Amino acid sequence: TVFNSLNHDMTLTEFKFIWYMEYSHRMWGRVVGLAYILPAAYFWRKGWLSRPMKGCVLALCGLVCFQGLLGWYMVKSGLEEKPDSYDIPRVSQYRLAAHLGSALVLYSASLWTGLSLLLPRHKLPETHQLLRLRQFAHGTTALIFLTALSGAFVAGLDAGLVYNSFPKMGERWIPDDLLAFSPVLRNIFENPTTVQFDHRILGIASFTAVTALYLFSRKIPLPRRTRMAVTSLLAVACMQ
């Protein structure tokens, strides 16, 4: 029914492009999982892992498997028949956000573990400024993570198609249908206008926080590696 009412003009070549894109994503995910699990099992068997590292390896292995499970759970939501609805089939924005969020956690944990093994930890005096910088960095990380999750809601609801002007949304700074749904809380997760508005605000806030973090770090004597990391963060934020 959906094909007849919405996609009747799709050619076989166009369908194959979408199919192979999804298939490649699934196969790549499995390759990534094997690229982690097989060497980890080998290192474990050889006795090359310390007791703390074994716990870390098991946690990362669990995250890899959980990520794949979430991917299946997400895709399943796009294949379910919705009674009395002929809307464009799409996956649940909640499951999409969970899938993206778990991927970010897995990537960050893997990177942190790898860098902890490759690079020695700097011994710096615990000054008040350094403590504030660390807290600021953690807060900025949380804000960036939240911004990325809000992007998943934009994608899941096709909210990017609602308004395509910036910085205003249409002719207004605050659109009329921002709180059109009831109860009000539903708007944050299900109203495309609100979802896009929130993503814009979070994006601007993230960029501002990264810039402020960089400027604050310039006032503190930091190791070259740390200063390079903060500068790279600002460069990537500008590019994004």
Side-chain angles (χ1 to χ4, degrees):
T1 303
V2 172
F3 176 80
N4 291 330
S5 59
L6 296 172
N7 303 315
H8 56 272
D9 57 343
M10 177 182 284
T11 64
L12 182 60
T13 301
E14 290 172 335
F15 174 78
K16 284 183 176 180
F17 175 78
I18 298 174
W19 190 91
Y20 279 116
M21 188 163 55
E22 171 66 17
Y23 180 76
S24 299
H25 177 69
R26 294 186 184 200
M27 293 302 106
W28 183 251
R30 292 169 185 174
V31 168
V32 170
L34 290 175
Y36 171 77
I37 293 174
L38 293 180
Y42 178 77
F43 296 153
W44 189 301
R45 184 174 179 83
K46 285 287 187 178
W48 295 347
L49 303 178
S50 63
R51 186 178 181 86
M53 186 51 59
K54 286 183 178 179
C56 186
V57 164
L58 286 177
L60 287 174
C61 182
L63 274 173
V64 168
C65 298
F66 181 66
Q67 173 67 7
L69 182 64
L70 263 182
W72 166 82
Y73 186 60
M74 177 193 71
V75 171
K76 182 175 180 290
S77 67
L79 301 176
E80 295 170 349
E81 288 286 345
K82 299 174 179 61
D84 303 324
S85 174
Y86 299 101
D87 194 10
I88 298 173
R90 57 168 62 91
V91 299
S92 163
Q93 67 270 30
Y94 298 100
R95 301 184 192 184
L96 177 60
H99 189 51
L100 175 63
S102 66
L104 291 173
V105 170
L106 173 61
Y107 178 81
S108 300
S110 301
L111 182 63
W112 183 273
T113 303
L115 292 178
S116 299
L117 292 171
L118 291 172
L119 303 175
R121 188 183 183 94
H122 282 299
K123 299 293 183 181
L124 300 177
E126 290 290 333
T127 63
H128 178 66
Q129 279 188 317
L130 186 62
L131 180 61
R132 284 186 61 195
L133 179 65
R134 184 180 292 121
Q135 292 173 340
F136 197 174
H138 289 164
T140 302
T141 301
L143 183 59
I144 293 171
F145 182 75
L146 184 61
T147 303
L149 288 189
S150 74
F153 280 89
V154 172
L157 290 171
D158 284 338
L161 303 178
V162 180
Y163 293 96
N164 58 6
S165 57
F166 186 86
K168 288 185 177 182
M169 298 179 71
E171 298 297 323
R172 304 176 65 89
W173 289 100
I174 301 178
D176 294 330
D177 54 343
L178 188 66
L179 299 176
F181 289 14
S182 182
V184 176
L185 189 62
R186 271 188 62 207
N187 290 278
I188 299 175
F189 305 106
E190 299 180 12
N191 184 340
T193 298
T194 311
V195 166
Q196 188 189 134
F197 181 81
D198 291 344
H199 187 58
R200 290 178 179 218
I201 297 301
L202 287 169
I204 294 169
S206 293
F207 180 76
T208 304
V210 170
T211 305
L213 179 68
Y214 171 79
L215 295 175
F216 182 62
S217 71
R218 301 293 293 178
K219 303 177 181 178
I220 306 174
L222 294 171
R224 180 176 177 273
R225 196 171 73 205
T226 307
R227 193 165 299 285
M228 187 184 300
V230 177
T231 304
S232 299
L233 176 63
L234 178 63
V236 171
C238 290
M239 184 171 63
Q240 174 70 3

